[in-house]
Amino acid sequence: MSTHEAIQPTLFVPHGAGPCFFMDWNPPDAWNAMAAFLRGVAGTLPQPPRAILMVSAHWLEPAFAVTGARQPGLIYDYYGFPLHTYELRYSAPGDPALAARVAGLLGAAGLPCSQDALRGFDHGTFIPLKLMFPTADIPVVQLSLRRDLDPQAHLDAGRALAPLRGEGVLIVGSGMSFHNMRGYGDPRFGPLSDEFDRWLTATVEAAPAVRAERLARWGAAPAARLCHPLRAEEHLLPLMVVAGAAAEGCGRRVFSDRVLDTTLSAFRFD
């Protein structure tokens, strides 16, 4: 680590609905506050990151995997959106050396991780990054989730990756704090999302040991399975990785908004 390298925070950010920030929506301002939050993230960092490790809800593998390409392409893994949203570009370079470092740290912690030299960035990575770092000049590596969705394994993975923060790497979990497709736009889910969000915020802000214990059993939280249905909780799991990577750092909610009748929040750990 360079003596001038600041320790980066870790972040859990909402990535919206498909390419929602780059198209017309009804109502037109539905995603404006979230877009403004994402655009402001870079200005809150201690210094520009040397590289970014994105943990996206949209890549699940039997064991952890990391992108190893020098110039990853894009995966337009959203459906039924306007044609121009399939022409969006994000040309950030990959970082094979960082990918090897990630795989090495996870492997040393007993969490096997393969390097995928062919996979590109899915929309959980490139859509928020287009707002957060629009110049696309910072190397990006994407880490998968593990298909078993075991919260403890993802907390452990984050702990293993914590040294990267002192090496100039920004670790970002990209998901949604509420993700029940049947609940979006249904006013009955508003109070349920509020209840879970209160629990999630209190958990993130708890002492690190308490935070980890509560996140490991998040399914017992109020309204948890109505906000993240069983076996479909992949949009919450990136939070476990960034919380684990926070180590003894403090967490807090840094954004919250009402979108599609549900509460959606972002969290930061320093």
Side-chain angles (χ1 to χ4, degrees):
M1 180 178 94
S2 164
T3 56
H4 302 293
E5 204 81 80
I7 296 176
Q8 293 287 345
T10 69
L11 301 169
F12 175 78
V13 303
H15 61 228
C20 61
F21 308 114
F22 303 98
M23 58 180 284
D24 293 332
W25 202 273
N26 185 23
D29 62 351
W31 302 101
N32 286 4
M34 190 179 294
F37 162 73
L38 291 169
R39 289 190 184 101
V41 164
T44 70
L45 302 178
Q47 65 186 41
R50 176 186 68 77
I52 300 166
L53 177 62
M54 290 291 286
V55 187
S56 168
H58 289 277
W59 186 17
L60 283 78
E61 294 287 349
F64 290 109
V66 64
T67 57
R70 293 189 179 278
Q71 193 65 55
L74 301 185
I75 302 171
Y76 299 95
D77 54 340
Y78 42 76
Y79 308 96
F81 289 94
L83 181 61
H84 77 269
T85 64
Y86 299 91
E87 299 171 349
L88 295 170
R89 296 290 179 262
Y90 195 75
S91 57
D95 189 335
L98 175 58
R101 174 87 169 122
V102 168
L105 287 169
L106 291 174
L111 299 165
C113 178
S114 63
Q115 298 176 61
D116 189 332
L118 299 178
R119 185 182 168 89
F121 300 141
D122 59 54
H123 81 272
T125 288
F126 76 82
I127 290 293
L129 284 181
K130 278 183 70 68
L131 295 171
M132 296 166 67
F133 301 97
T135 54
D137 55 356
I138 299 173
V140 177
V141 166
Q142 183 177 327
L143 177 67
S144 79
L145 299 177
R146 215 169 72 177
R147 190 168 289 145
D148 62 6
L149 302 175
D150 176 11
Q152 187 62 58
H154 291 81
L155 285 161
D156 292 344
R159 289 193 189 97
L161 297 171
L164 297 176
R165 297 175 56 205
E167 299 168 14
V169 178
L170 176 67
I171 303 175
V172 181
S174 173
M176 297 284 268
S177 59
F178 174 97
H179 196 261
N180 182 339
M181 298 303 290
R182 292 180 299 148
Y184 289 126
D186 185 338
R188 294 174 298 177
F189 280 81
L192 297 171
S193 70
D194 291 338
E195 189 175 18
F196 183 67
D197 192 79
R198 284 192 293 269
W199 179 90
L200 201 58
T201 300
T203 295
V204 164
E205 294 177 351
V210 175
R211 177 176 74 213
E213 192 273 333
R214 284 167 62 108
L215 287 175
R217 55 176 184 84
W218 72 271
R225 286 303 179 183
L226 292 170
C227 297
H228 295 276
L230 184 65
R231 304 307 305 161
E233 59 261 35
E234 72 284 338
H235 276 70
L236 186 64
L237 267 292
L239 174 63
M240 311 308 172
V241 180
V242 300
E248 298 303 306
C250 296
R252 68 189 192 279
R253 189 174 71 174
V254 289
F255 169 79
S256 192
D257 191 29
R258 196 73 155 189
V259 184
L260 304 178
D261 293 307
T262 62
T263 295
L264 300 172
S265 295
F267 301 94
R268 173 174 170 145
F269 301 86
D270 289 278

